[in-house]
Amino acid sequence: MKATELMIGDYVQFFEERNLRYEKVTTITDEGNGQRFVQTAESDVYYREEVYMPIPLTAEILEKNFDFEPDCDKKIYKNKSYCSFLVAQEKQGFAIGRMNDSYDTPQFNGWFSIEYVHELQHALKLCGIDKQIVL
């Protein structure tokens, strides 16, 4: 994983002595010679960007963070406080979009595929939604 894909506050995976941990990025540094280092809230050490891995987005993570909308032909998770933001589970994975509020059924104004938790975090920020993801 490249540090250029990350923002402060993103969640990443970190393997330490065969243990998998989720950590939150607090600092990203660039040494100027192409080497980037990432620090997390759980550590006072800067590790090379390659040490961290993205967290795959799963239905379980979505269910912890969004309400499920059962009346649709796709599995759609609505944000509890922002009805215009949707994450849909499809055969290929997940897609994210904003719902047009003038329709009773979801009409998407455009959407894109997401595979990882940090991509979901970026999409929420782009939509102006301040939401802490629960893992």
Side-chain angles (χ1 to χ4, degrees), residues 95-109:
I96 193 168
R98 289 185 72 118
M99 188 173 78
N100 186 337
D101 294 331
S102 63
Y103 297 97
D104 291 332
T105 58
Q107 301 291 319
F108 295 100
N109 293 333

Side-chain angles (χ1 to χ4, degrees), residues 56-64 66-70 72-78 85-97 106 108 111-115 120:
L57 185 62
T58 63
E60 292 79 24
I61 291 173
L62 289 173
E63 287 167 6
K64 286 181 185 179
F66 298 93
D67 291 331
F68 175 63
E69 184 64 48
C72 300
D73 57 345
K74 295 179 176 149
K75 251 187 139 171
I76 294 180
Y77 299 88
K78 283 187 172 183
F85 176 77
L86 301 137
V87 179
Q89 184 174 8
E90 297 194 314
K91 293 177 186 173
Q92 311 89 318
F94 299 97
I96 193 168
F108 295 100
W111 47 341
F112 55 94
S113 297
I114 51 175
E115 296 180 56
L120 175 62

